[in-house]
Structure formats: structure tokens, C-alpha cells
């Protein structure tokens, strides 16, 4: 049968089937029809061009049918006894005519009120792609993995909202020389992807950018790639006509992205680069998905992502190689909402922005244990007009919410969040005194009091002053009165301190009350709390935004002692709604922290592993040592560990810091594969700054080339660990 229309669009490999081999699915060319890579910028071939080679008996009207996929194979589009996912997409796209199907295939295509792809796979339900699937161009299409027999099993994994275990998975085939860098590409309105597992989609790093890899990629069909009037400088700037062509109303729901139906940490060769990439789209909804263990961010926006809604997703363990943040927002994100998600154990921030246009709301999320690789804020804002409210933000090696000073930042509101266990301020307004990475990741600590109108220009949120209490100790009464001063016209939020890491500043916990600041800059707040309660305050002015927190004041005692760091379980908690988590943790803060037991845990395990010269791979001897570390961590669930990478003193500081980072990453990756949860591990690099050698000897150098394990028991118990040199690698 003549299927010239499909071969014109998809240049498929000559082998149909699983195509199993010994190589990786991530090797080979970077661009496939119907996409074109040009000067490092990806372009879609326009529909008008793609359809010029249609067969005479085909129609430009897309068929409204339900196509049942009953073959897990992939390869050339040919008439046979079954339909593949590739053929199903071409049928609903209208590029595979219905009259070109065999009788057996035709029986799998039925009329429908809306286009749909269903599944009835016998036996193996894993679809291994040998090449990039066709772009989805059928408006209103539902790709429904819940139709596969066997769908509906529950999972015990932590989740914001439970997501059933998918029965159908889509992943690249292992063929030498092939590189299937994307699962599904969506370019049509109102497409829904439901109940699937997609994982393993990545690409090689190159000197120029290739088409972005992702489990799911959403973008309009772009301008003609051969239009020489569009230079690389303006190729991604959309015209109003192209904005109107951006896919609207795409829904990604109830999927497992980045992980197979078996769950757990994927093998390094089976990790996807990104989860969902919203490049050019409007009104996209990403709801109730598990988005886990990607090399880079779980969700990323690109050029145009207005009215994006990210809700009820579980976003865990992303950023293991590249872009480190759980959710990364850039481009036009006007009207976007991040609400009700569990964002945990990602390598950077839970939610981060980079020079966005428009505003976003981030509310009612559970954001904890992020910053596993990079010291950063839990939520990192850029731009103006964002709202961060009613979130639970905890256990971050940095501030809770960081507002960058550049680009110009105004009217960012941070209110009624519950913070705990931060290594930084609850709200940090950056001062515009540098362009280092740390200025956009970690913040700069408390700002000085604004002493000039010029300060409005050089700090985030127009340098609104933090409130200041009249005293650092107030007398305890049934209803205690707190007084102080702040910027006139602002509203003061008084919070109970949930934890502290220094003597001046605490982490803001439960909101006690809000009061207005008078025209004279004075405020007075009545609170009903227990004797010895510590409090802090932030100011919010609708003209400028929210301030940094005040220093801590105590009610009823003359010397602040601080509640310390309460015991916690180092896990991504399962909860229906973050609001419930906040309420539970608020109750905990009322009680005095329990003293740790007198006993010690003596771990007869090593505290370090070693590396060969200029190497970061794990040797067989070091693997045996790491097995002991993993066994201890799995036996004691309250243990956390910091993996510190070190080098010998040779080479530059910058090179050695990067080498130490790679060594710590290798050790972390090994422990991940052994089943240690990512939220229980942090990595740091000290490079050559903490040598243990005493001289320039090859044995001393071998001792310096190491990763050290710094254990902490979250119940406050002491730990005894032992050094070892069984894996020493001498040059």
C-alpha cells in the first residue's frame, strides 16, 4: 500500500521491533523530521510544508476516531495485523489515511466523539521507540494510558496526591547510534496525556544547542526554518500571529515522568533530561503527576508559557546532572500558578525563576529538603509582582524565599508561609552589588536599614525595611503586647519562631497576627502565646512588597535561648495538602523539644572513600566501602549524610572545586542506586581547601583525593565513625 505521506514526514529506521542492543539510546544525530536544527535553534517544519507530499487519496481533514494501540513494537509504518503508537499518532494527525490500513488495522479504528488513542497491549506493555515520534497535531486528542488492562494499581511512594501506577511505559530503544531525545511532542490545542510512564529521553551535550530533550515537549509549529529573514537573534521571539498559534489547553495528568512503572531510582542510562518542557503554549495544566529523578528540572518553561497551572504534582529528586531546580520558570509566565505540589529533594531550589516576564503565584505547596547539590533558596524569585503564600518551606541549606535585585524587583509578596530548618533568612531581599551565581541562588543575608531614597533602586522590593521591635524581650502576660516600628503604610505579620540557626534571626513559623503600621511608623500587636515564646516579624507594603524578617524577640524571658532545631524525619512526607502539613508542624512547635537519649549510636562504618589521580569514578574497592555506608543509612532511617568532595593540591582552585563536586556526585549516585533516598543526602565540594596530607608525597596526595561522609542523626544522637584506607589509590 502507498504510504508516501508518512514516509515523507518520518524517516524511520529499517528495523521494526524492540531493536535491543548493547549501546545507549542517547547516541547519534540530534534532529529528526519533522524537526530541523539550524544554527543551534530548533524549528518545526510548518504544516503547510509537511503536507505537500500527501498521497492523492488523503485528506487534510483530521479523522475523529478512537485508535487502539495493540503493538508494543516501533519502526516503519507498514500495513500488518496491529497498530503501533507511531501509526496511531499518524492516523489522528491525518498523515496516515484510513484507506491505507489493513483490514486488521481498520478494525482497531472506530468512530468517536473526539480523537483518542487507547491501549490494549498484550504481554509487554513497554513501548521502546527507535526514533522520535511524529509531532501531535490533532486538536482535542486524548492519549489515555488508563485504558490499558491492568491500570489502576496504587503506589506507596510519597505523593502530594496519589497517582496510580501506569501500565504503559514509553522509553527509547537501546540501539547503537540512535538518540531518541523526546517522548511526546505536542503542537495542537486541548491535547491530554494521561496515565502513561515516560522515561529515558535525553541527548548528548554539544557545543551548540539542539532541540530540547524532555519526556513531554509542548510548542507551536514554528516559522519556516528556511526563512532567512529570521536571524538567530530573533528566531525565538514570537509574533502576535505565532502567539495565537501556540497550543492552548494542553493537559498532562496522572503520569509518571522520569520513572518506570517499577518505580525507584532509574539507572543513569535511563534518566530523562527534563520532565515537561512548556516552550510555547497557553493555558497548559500539569496536574497530579509523579515527576522524578531527571537530569535537569522536572518542569521547565521556555519562551512563552502564559497561564500555566502546576498543581498536585509530586516533584522529587530532579536536577541530578544539569539545571538543578525542581520547577524552573523563564520566558513569559504571566498568570501562572504553582499550587498544591510536593516539591522535595531536588538538587537546587524547589521553584526558581530566571528573568521571567509576567507574574506567578506560588501557594499551598510543600517545599522541603531541596538544595541537595547546590546551596540555594527554596524559592528563588526574579522580577516583580509574584505572590508566595501559604506554603510549607523547610530544611533548606539557604533562605526560604530569595528575591533577586536584578532585574528590577518590586511588589513581591511573601505572606503566611510556615518556614522551618533554614540555613538563612525566611525572606532574603538581595542587594544589587554583584553578578555572581550566589547572588541569584543563595542571597546575601540581612540588609542594613534604608538610609537613603537611592536604596530603593539597589535592593529587591525597593529595600523595604524589616520591622524592628522596641525590645528583644517583652514581659509575659495572658495577652502580651509587642511594639515596634516599620515603614508607614505597611502591614506587619507577627510569627512564632519555629527554629533557629543563629542568635539573632529565627525561622518564621506559625502566623500569630497581623497589624497595620500607623502614619508615624509605629505598630502594636497583641498575641496570646506561652511563656518563653520567640517571635519574629515581616512587613508587607503593597507598593513595594515584603521585607526581610526582624531579629528575634522573646516573650517572658530576659535571654533568648531559641527553640533549636526540632527532631524531624528526613523523608519527603506524604500529605494530601500542604496546609495539613503546616497545621501538624505548627502543633509540634508548641511543645518543648524532646531531649535526645543518652545513648550513642556507634557506626562501625567508614567515613571516606578515595579516588585515582584526576578521576571521579568509583573503583571496585570504593564500591565495597559505599556498600557499608548504604547499609548503615538504610538501617538507621533518621540518619542524614553530607558528602564532601576533596582533591589533592595540584591544579587550579577552580578545577579542583569542580573535580571535588564530580567525586561527591559519583558517591551520591552510587548510594541512590543502592536505595538511599535523595532527601537524606547533600553534596558539597571543598576542592583542595581541606587537605589532610602533611607533605608532597604520592601517598599523601592519595589520602587527599577523597569523599568524606559527615553523618547527622536527626534525633540529636552522637555518632562515632571510623576512617579507612582500604581503597587508597596511589599513582
Amino acid at each position: 500500500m502507498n504510504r508516501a505521506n508518512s514516509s515523507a514526514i518520518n524517516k524511520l529506521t529499517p528495523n521494526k521491533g524492540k531493536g535491543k542492543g548493547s549501546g545507549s539510546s542517547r547516541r547519534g544525530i540530534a534532529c529528526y523530521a519533522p524537526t530541523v536544527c539550524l544554527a543551534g535553534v530548533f524549528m518545526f517544519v510548518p504544516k503547510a510544508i509537511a503536507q505537500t507530499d500527501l498521497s492523492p487519496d488523503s485528506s487534510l481533514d483530521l479523522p475523529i476516531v478512537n485508535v487502539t494501540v495493540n503493538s508494543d513494537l516501533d519502526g516503519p509504518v507498514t500495513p500488518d495485523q496491529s497498530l503501533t503508537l507511531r501509526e496511531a499518532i499518524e492516523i489522528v494527525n491525518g498523515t496516515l489515511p484510513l484507506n491505507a490500513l489493513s483490514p486488521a488495522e481498520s478494525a482497531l479504528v472506530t468512530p468517536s466523539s473526539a480523537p483518542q488513542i487507547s491501549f490494549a497491549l498484550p504481554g509487554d506493555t513497554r513501548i521502546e521507540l527507535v526514533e522520535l515520534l511524529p509531532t501531535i497535531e490533532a486538536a482535542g486528542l486524548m492519549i489515555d494510558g488508563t485504558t490499558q488492562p491492568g491500570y489502576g494499581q496504587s503506589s506507596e511512594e510519597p505523593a502530594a496526591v496519589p497517582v496510580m501506577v501506569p501500565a504503559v511505559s514509553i522509553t527509547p530503544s537501546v540501539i547503537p547510534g540512535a538518540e531518541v531525545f523526546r517522548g511526546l511532542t505536542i503542537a495542537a490545542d486541548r491535547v491530554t496525556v494521561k496515565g502513561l510512564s515516560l522515561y529515558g529521553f535525553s541527548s548528548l551535550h554539544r557545543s551548540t544547542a539542539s532541540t530540547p530533550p524532555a519526556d513531554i515537549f509542548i510548542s507551536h509549529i514554528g516559522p519556516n526554518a528556511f526563512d532567512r529573514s529570521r536571524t538567530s537573534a530573533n528566531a525565538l521571539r514570537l509574533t502576535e500571529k505565532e502567539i495565537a498559534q501556540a497550543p492552548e489547553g494542553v493537559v498532562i495528568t496522572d503520569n509518571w515522568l522520569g520513572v518506570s512503572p517499577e518505580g525507584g531510582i532509574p539507572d543513569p542510562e535511563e534518566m530523562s533530561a527534563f520532565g515537561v518542557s512548556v516552550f510555547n503554549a497557553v493555558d497548559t495544566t500539569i496536574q497530579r503527576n509523579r515527576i522524578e529523578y531527571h537530569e535537569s528540572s522536572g518542569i521547565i518553561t521556555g519562551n512563552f508559557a502564559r497561564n500555566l497551572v502546576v498543581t498536585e504534582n509530586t516533584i522529587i529528586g530532579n536536577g541530578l546532572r544539569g539545571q538543578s531546580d525542581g520547577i524552573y520558570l523563564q520566558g513569559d509566565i504571566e498568570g501562572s500558578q504553582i499550587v498544591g505540589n510536593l516539591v522535595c529533594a531536588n538538587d537546587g531550589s524547589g521553584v526558581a525563576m530566571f528573568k521571567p516576564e509576567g507574574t506567578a503565584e506560588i501557594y499551598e505547596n510543600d517545599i522541603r529538603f531541596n538544595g541537595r547539590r547546590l546551596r540555594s533558596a527554596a524559592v528563588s524569585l526574579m522580577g516583580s509582582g509574584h505572590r508566595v503564600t501559604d506554603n510549607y518551606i523547610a530544611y533548606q541549606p539557604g533562605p526560604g524565599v530569595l528575591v533577586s535585585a536584578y532585574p528590577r524587583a518590586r511588589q513581591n509578596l511573601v505572606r503566611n508561609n510556615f518556614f522551618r530548618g533554614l540555613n538563612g533568612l525566611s525572606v532574603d531581599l538581595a542587594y544589587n552589588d554583584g553578578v555572581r551565581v550566589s547572588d541569584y541562588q543563595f542571597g546575601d543575608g540581612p540588609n542594613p536599614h534604608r538610609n537613603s531614597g537611592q536604596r530603593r533602586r539597589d535592593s529587591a522590593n525597593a529595600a523595604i525595611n524589616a520591622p524592628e521591635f522596641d525590645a528583644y524581650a517583652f514581659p509575659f502576660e495572658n495577652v502580651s503586647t509587642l511594639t515596634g516600628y516599620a515603614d508607614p503604610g505597611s502591614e506587619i505579620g507577627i510569627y512564632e519562631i519555629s527554629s533557629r540557626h543563629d542568635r539573632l534571626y529565627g525561622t518564621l513559623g506559625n502566623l500569630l497576627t497581623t497589624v497595620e503600621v500607623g502614619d508615624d511608623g509605629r505598630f502594636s500587636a497583641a498575641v496570646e502565646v506561652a511563656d518563653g515564646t520567640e517571635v519574629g516579624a515581616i512587613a508587607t507594603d503593597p507598593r513595594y512588597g515584603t521585607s526581610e524578617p526582624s531579629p528575634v524577640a522573646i516573650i517572658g524571658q530576659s535571654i533568648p535561648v531559641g527553640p533549636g532545631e526540632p527532631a524531624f524525619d528526613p523523608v519527603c512526607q506524604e500529605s494530601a495538602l500542604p496546609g495539613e502539613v503546616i497545621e501538624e508542624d505548627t502543633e509540634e512547635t508548641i511543645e518543648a523539644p524532646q531531649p535526645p537519649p543518652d545513648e550513642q549510636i556507634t557506626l562501625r562504618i567508614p567515613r571516606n572513600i578515595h579516588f585515582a589521580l584526576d578521576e571521579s569514578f568509583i573503583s571496585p574497592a570504593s564500591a565495597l566501602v559505599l556498600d557499608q555506608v548504604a547499609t548503615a543509612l538504610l538501617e538507621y532511617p533518621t540518619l542524614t549524610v553530607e558528602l564532601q568532595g576533596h582533591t589533592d593540591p595540584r591544579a587550579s582552585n577552580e578545577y579542583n572545586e569542580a573535580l571535588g563536586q564530580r567525586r561527591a556526585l559519583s558517591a551520591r549516585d552510587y548510594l541512590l542506586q543502592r536505595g538511599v533516598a535523595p532527601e537524606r543526602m547533600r553534596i558539597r565540594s571543598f576542592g583542595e581547601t581541606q587537605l589532610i596530607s602533611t607533605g608532597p608525597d604520592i601517598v599523601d596526595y592519595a589520602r587527599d583525593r577523597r569523599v568524606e561522609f559527615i553523618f547527622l542523626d536527626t534525633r540529636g544522637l552522637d555518632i562515632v565513625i571510623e576512617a579507612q584506607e582500604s581503597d587508597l589509590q596511589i599513582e
Side-chain angles (χ1 to χ4, degrees):
M1 293 184 184
N2 181 8
R3 296 196 178 183
N5 58 313
S6 60
S7 61
I9 296 177
N10 297 288
K11 299 178 181 179
L12 305 178
T13 60
N15 299 318
K16 183 173 183 178
K18 293 287 189 182
K20 293 185 180 295
S22 58
S24 167
S25 63
R26 302 178 186 176
R27 304 294 182 263
I29 61 175
C31 299
Y32 299 80
T35 60
V36 176
C37 279
L38 180 65
V41 177
F42 80 93
M43 301 288 184
F44 285 104
V45 177
K47 187 182 299 185
I49 296 176
Q51 293 181 334
T52 55
D53 199 23
L54 293 173
S55 58
D57 58 351
S58 65
S59 171
L60 294 180
D61 294 330
L62 303 185
I64 303 178
V65 292
N66 181 5
V67 184
T68 300
V69 175
N70 68 340
S71 172
D72 63 325
L73 303 179
D74 188 42
V77 176
T78 57
D80 51 29
Q81 300 303 302
S82 59
L83 284 178
T84 66
L85 177 59
R86 183 179 304 277
E87 291 170 328
I89 293 175
E90 291 208 21
I91 290 171
V92 296
N93 279 349
T95 55
L96 175 54
L98 299 180
N99 60 10
L101 302 178
S102 71
E105 291 175 326
S106 296
L108 298 170
V109 182
T110 57
S112 178
S113 59
Q116 179 168 324
I117 295 177
S118 303
F119 295 87
L121 299 173
D124 191 358
T125 61
R126 182 177 60 183
I127 299 173
E128 295 185 359
L129 303 179
V130 299
E131 196 168 7
L132 197 67
L133 288 169
T135 298
I136 296 169
E137 301 179 28
L141 174 65
M142 162 80 79
I143 303 179
D144 193 353
T146 69
T147 57
Q148 172 66 32
Y151 177 85
Q153 297 182 14
S154 61
S155 171
E156 299 299 325
E157 298 292 326
V161 174
V163 182
M164 295 297 180
V165 180
V168 177
S169 59
I170 304 172
T171 189
S173 179
V174 184
I175 297 179
E179 184 182 47
V180 185
F181 53 87
R182 189 182 306 139
L184 297 174
T185 304
I186 300 172
D189 295 344
R190 305 181 310 281
V191 172
T192 298
V193 178
K194 181 178 182 181
L196 297 174
S197 163
L198 294 100
Y199 65 97
F201 297 99
S202 188
S203 62
L204 292 174
H205 296 287
R206 296 175 173 84
S207 57
T208 57
S210 62
T211 307
D215 295 322
I216 299 175
F217 183 81
I218 307 170
S219 180
H220 75 305
I221 298 178
N224 188 345
F226 305 100
D227 182 356
R228 302 302 182 185
S229 67
R230 296 179 69 99
T231 65
S232 59
N234 65 13
L236 296 182
R237 178 61 61 182
L238 299 185
T239 65
E240 289 300 319
K241 180 179 179 180
E242 291 161 356
I243 291 175
Q245 295 173 341
E248 295 185 17
V250 173
V251 177
I252 311 299
T253 183
D254 293 288
N255 302 285
W256 286 24
L257 305 180
V259 288
S260 71
E262 289 74 29
I265 310 285
D267 184 85
E269 289 297 318
E270 294 184 337
M271 284 187 182
S272 292
F274 295 94
V276 183
S277 177
V278 185
F279 197 81
N280 290 320
V282 183
D283 297 331
T284 302
T285 298
I286 304 172
Q287 180 176 23
R288 209 168 46 249
N289 302 280
R290 284 184 59 184
I291 305 175
E292 304 177 16
Y293 304 119
H294 290 85
E295 296 175 325
S296 296
S297 297
I299 297 174
I300 184 171
T301 62
N303 194 48
F304 185 81
R306 288 183 185 172
N307 300 327
L308 170 68
V309 176
V310 178
T311 182
E312 298 181 316
N313 299 282
T314 301
I315 303 170
I316 293 178
N318 299 287
L320 299 178
R321 294 291 183 278
Q323 178 62 47
S324 60
D325 309 302
I327 301 173
Y328 188 75
L329 303 175
Q330 60 184 350
D332 188 339
I333 61 169
E334 176 62 32
S336 295
Q337 299 181 59
I338 313 297
V339 52
N341 303 281
L342 172 60
V343 186
C344 181
N346 299 285
D347 267 16
S349 296
V351 182
M353 299 180 179
F354 183 73
K355 296 184 178 180
E357 299 177 18
T359 64
E361 293 188 56
I362 302 169
Y363 60 100
E364 295 181 3
N365 300 283
D366 185 343
I367 305 173
R368 63 175 72 195
F369 293 113
N370 296 290
R372 299 298 87 190
R373 174 165 59 95
L374 296 177
R375 192 180 181 209
S376 58
V379 177
S380 180
L381 303 180
M382 273 190 171
S384 300
H386 307 299
R387 293 175 178 265
V388 181
T389 59
D390 300 293
N391 300 281
Y392 178 73
I393 299 175
Y395 309 114
Q396 184 78 15
V401 178
L402 167 67
V403 185
S404 296
Y406 179 84
R408 187 174 185 266
R410 297 290 188 275
Q411 297 178 318
N412 294 288
L413 304 183
V414 184
R415 307 168 81 172
N416 199 27
N417 300 281
F418 188 103
F419 299 96
R420 169 170 287 173
L422 306 177
N423 187 19
L425 298 176
S426 299
V427 182
D428 194 335
L429 305 181
Y431 171 69
N432 189 17
D433 64 345
V435 292
R436 299 164 298 176
V437 173
S438 60
D439 295 322
Y440 300 97
Q441 287 181 338
F442 185 70
D444 53 13
N447 290 338
H449 191 78
R450 189 180 66 254
N451 56 8
S452 166
Q454 297 300 319
R455 288 286 317 283
R456 295 285 193 192
R457 302 181 179 182
D458 61 25
S459 296
N461 280 0
I464 178 174
N465 282 323
E468 294 193 27
F469 291 114
D470 288 333
Y472 291 106
F474 289 90
F476 171 72
E477 301 173 357
N478 290 335
V479 178
S480 300
T481 300
L482 311 176
T483 59
Y485 58 94
D487 286 355
S490 61
E491 177 190 82
I492 303 299
I494 306 293
Y495 292 79
E496 185 177 357
I497 297 300
S498 65
S499 59
R500 291 180 67 171
H501 69 277
D502 63 37
R503 293 192 60 82
L504 286 180
Y505 291 90
T507 302
L508 304 181
N510 185 39
L511 176 64
L512 299 174
T513 189
T514 58
V515 294
E516 299 293 330
V517 179
D519 294 339
D520 58 355
R522 300 289 302 170
F523 69 85
S524 176
V527 295
E528 185 175 356
V529 294
D531 188 10
T533 299
E534 291 188 342
V535 296
I538 52 175
T540 298
D541 188 325
R543 297 170 298 174
Y544 303 118
T546 300
S547 74
E548 293 181 338
S550 69
V552 170
I554 193 168
I555 298 174
Q557 297 184 16
S558 59
I559 301 176
V561 294
E565 183 59 62
F568 63 93
D569 292 327
V571 296
C572 294
Q573 302 276 353
E574 181 175 357
S575 59
L577 289 173
E580 295 182 6
V581 176
I582 296 173
E583 181 179 346
E584 292 169 3
D585 286 341
T586 300
E587 293 175 358
E588 287 182 10
T589 60
I590 297 175
E591 301 176 1
Q594 297 297 317
D598 295 332
E599 66 199 79
Q600 279 191 336
I601 292 180
T602 302
L603 300 179
R604 298 298 176 185
I605 59 171
R607 66 171 298 164
N608 50 29
I609 59 172
H610 298 89
F611 294 83
L613 175 65
D614 200 29
E615 297 290 352
S616 58
F617 65 85
I618 304 298
S619 70
S622 296
L624 295 176
V625 177
L626 284 170
D627 288 341
Q628 299 176 55
V629 175
T631 299
L633 288 168
L634 295 175
E635 182 178 355
Y636 295 97
T638 59
L639 286 180
T640 64
V641 62
E642 182 171 274
L643 295 83
Q644 300 180 348
H646 301 270
T647 71
D648 68 35
R650 293 170 290 183
S652 67
N653 293 335
E654 292 79 7
Y655 183 87
N656 282 335
E657 183 176 353
L659 178 58
Q661 179 90 344
R662 292 196 298 274
R663 288 172 174 169
L665 271 173
S666 294
R668 194 270 300 270
D669 290 350
Y670 188 95
L671 294 174
L672 282 174
Q673 295 299 320
R674 284 294 311 274
V676 180
E679 61 267 27
R680 299 178 62 191
M681 296 182 285
R682 274 199 65 207
I683 66 174
R684 294 183 66 183
S685 175
F686 289 95
E688 62 183 83
T689 62
Q690 294 187 4
L691 304 175
I692 60 173
S693 62
T694 58
D697 180 85
I698 58 173
V699 176
D700 290 319
Y701 289 152
R703 291 186 174 117
D704 288 330
R705 298 191 297 268
R706 69 199 191 278
V707 166
E708 292 196 1
F709 309 109
I710 309 302
F711 293 93
L712 170 69
D713 187 277
T714 59
R715 295 171 298 175
L717 302 180
D718 292 329
I719 303 167
V720 178
I721 54 178
E722 300 173 338
Q724 65 84 36
E725 294 187 354
S726 63
D727 65 336
L728 209 61
Q729 301 182 62
I730 301 174
E731 302 164 36

